[in-house]
Amino acid sequence: MAGKILNLLALASLAIMACSFGAEPVNALSDSHHARDGLRGHDALAKRKRSVNGKRCKVRSTPADSATVSSTYSSSADYTPAPTTTSTWLDSSSSSTWSSTSSSAPAASSSASSSSSSGSGKGCLAWPNGDQPYLGDYKTDKTSLIYTWGETAPSDVSSLGFTFAPQLWGSTNQQAFASTVVAGYAKYALFLNEPNESGQSNIDPATAAGLWKQYMEPLKALGYQVGSAATSSNPDGMTWTQDFFTACNGGCNPDFMAVHWYDITADGFMTYVEQWHTAFNLPIWVTEFAYQDFNGNDQGDLATIQSFMGEVTAWMDQQDYVQYYCWFGAMLDMQNVNPLNTLMNSDGSPSALGEQFLYSG
């Protein structure tokens, strides 16, 4: 009898131990957003964007930085921006370097609403796709300007209601620019693309001053408003711009400053834009910007990018000195930029982020 009791006690003990090692329920994943390090630099797309370290976004590889930028920027990246020749971007008979390779960027669902448009008209398309039947999908009350990194516009720009701004990108399209951009051709003209970057137009300030006096300054007498060169976020962008004006010796008079920006904080973006406006006391065109970190930090998910876009575009809509802003990008091949920044689905239609940019900002 005693033996049976002992056996029963042993079995009971084993049962208790087995229960104590049972599987525990898995805690639900917390719904938290990725933290954004606003002080990181924006590296470049190919060689355009550089990065920023502190609280100010440094000019990537197109816009100039502000006077205080050098202390807050860190040149740690490169980006692949506009093409080195305009033919690959503007020839509609062949696929462009950016549009020929479809990006796998998802059309991700978005909370952005397209039911109403702010109608600010400040939205701009940086368009490397040439003639495409879906260009009309990108014309709204929010978007009014388009440029192509070259002197030629898509054929249906005017009929769609866009204002086109030709660009003297660099040494590759000087003659084409001069013969095309004549009286009555356009209202605005853009200057060099990231001349401070070896992978972009790569032109020193003194040479650039000569190009401005030969090709850009005369356009003012023809009724054009002309914009500055857009340097990168590299800390030397502001220095390049200051040296350019010194070399001009009063002979270069842009009507607005073009800037580029790539980083991951709204505060950094706003500070950067303000720096350029303060430094030169001219209106600002943000001709390239995106939520992109080139220093190896978290790029953020689509919701984070949408939040950033909404915050900075709403702010720019309120700043009288910001005349236009062009998100990077309205294209399929985003080059070295996080493809979640694309405004396009694989078929060329607006993505969820594109709908936000086009209608609500």
Side-chain angles (χ1 to χ4, degrees):
M1 188 68 177
K4 290 183 178 181
I5 293 174
L6 289 174
N7 288 335
L8 290 172
L9 289 174
L11 290 171
S13 298
L14 288 172
I16 292 172
M17 292 176 64
C19 291
S20 67
F21 288 101
E24 296 180 356
V26 177
N27 292 330
L29 296 177
S30 60
D31 182 19
S32 60
H33 296 290
H34 295 292
R36 292 182 289 180
D37 182 353
L39 303 184
R40 309 292 178 181
H42 1 8
D43 255 42
L45 299 177
K47 284 217 160 146
R48 299 195 167 208
K49 314 316 161 191
R50 280 238 120 113
S51 61
V52 175
N53 274 335
K55 292 193 170 181
R56 322 217 125 91
C57 288
K58 306 311 174 182
V59 210
R60 301 221 162 236
S61 47
T62 36
D65 29 320
S66 70
T68 60
V69 168
S70 59
S71 63
T72 56
Y73 288 38
S74 69
S75 58
S76 64
D78 276 327
Y79 126 105
T80 317
T84 54
T85 62
T86 58
S87 59
T88 56
W89 297 80
L90 302 176
D91 183 359
S92 61
S93 64
S94 61
S95 56
S96 70
T97 47
W98 284 6
S99 62
S100 60
T101 57
S102 299
S103 167
S104 59
S109 59
S110 163
S111 58
S113 170
S114 61
S115 60
S116 63
S117 170
S118 71
S120 72
K122 290 186 178 184
C124 155
L125 295 181
W127 188 263
N129 312 301
D131 282 334
Q132 294 292 348
Y134 48 73
L135 176 57
D137 295 338
Y138 294 83
K139 180 68 185 76
T140 67
D141 290 343
K142 182 82 174 181
T143 54
S144 61
L145 185 81
I146 188 171
Y147 80 97
T148 60
W149 287 279
E151 72 285 347
T152 306
S155 60
D156 53 353
V157 158
S158 296
S159 63
L160 290 172
F162 282 107
T163 296
F164 174 63
Q167 181 175 27
L168 174 56
W169 188 90
S171 59
T172 60
N173 75 322
Q174 292 176 22
Q175 297 307 314
F177 180 88
S179 61
T180 303
V181 184
V182 297
Y185 178 71
K187 178 180 179 180
Y188 304 111
L190 300 172
F191 195 37
L192 307 177
N193 185 80
E194 300 183 355
N196 61 316
E197 294 294 339
S198 60
Q200 294 307 307
S201 61
N202 190 29
I203 296 175
D204 65 87
T207 300
L211 291 174
W212 179 281
K213 293 177 181 180
Q214 181 177 358
Y215 297 108
M216 300 297 290
E217 194 71 19
L219 292 177
K220 294 171 68 71
L222 301 180
Y224 281 80
Q225 292 183 38
V226 292
S228 72
T231 59
S232 74
S233 313
N234 187 316
D236 68 5
M238 175 61 75
T239 300
W240 187 100
T241 303
Q242 293 169 333
D243 290 346
F244 166 78
F245 282 116
T246 297
C248 286
N249 192 28
C252 305
N253 301 284
D255 296 292
F256 57 89
M257 301 299 294
V259 304
H260 292 183
W261 188 94
Y262 293 82
D263 209 335
I264 55 175
T265 64
D267 287 345
F269 175 88
M270 291 183 279
T271 297
Y272 183 73
V273 172
E274 288 175 338
Q275 287 177 334
W276 278 89
H277 175 59
T278 299
F280 299 101
N281 193 31
L282 288 172
I284 298 293
W285 286 27
V286 184
T287 51
E288 287 185 27
F289 74 112
Y291 187 95
Q292 168 69 33
D293 183 287
F294 289 95
N295 297 320
N297 299 299
D298 184 5
Q299 296 300 328
D301 55 14
L302 179 60
T304 301
I305 295 172
Q306 289 176 313
S307 177
F308 168 81
M309 175 187 280
E311 185 172 355
V312 299
T313 56
W315 176 78
M316 287 188 284
D317 284 340
Q318 297 170 359
Q319 310 308 310
D320 290 340
Y321 67 83
V322 177
Q323 295 182 333
Y324 293 103
Y325 50 80
C326 317
W327 184 266
F328 192 98
M331 60 201 69
L332 296 176
D333 183 354
M334 292 292 289
Q335 305 222 356
N336 292 336
V337 173
N338 182 358
L340 289 178
N341 284 284
T342 184
L343 302 180
M344 284 186 177
N345 293 320
S346 59
D347 63 356
S349 64
S351 63
L353 189 67
E355 292 285 342
Q356 176 176 333
F357 182 75
L358 295 171
Y359 292 97
S360 60

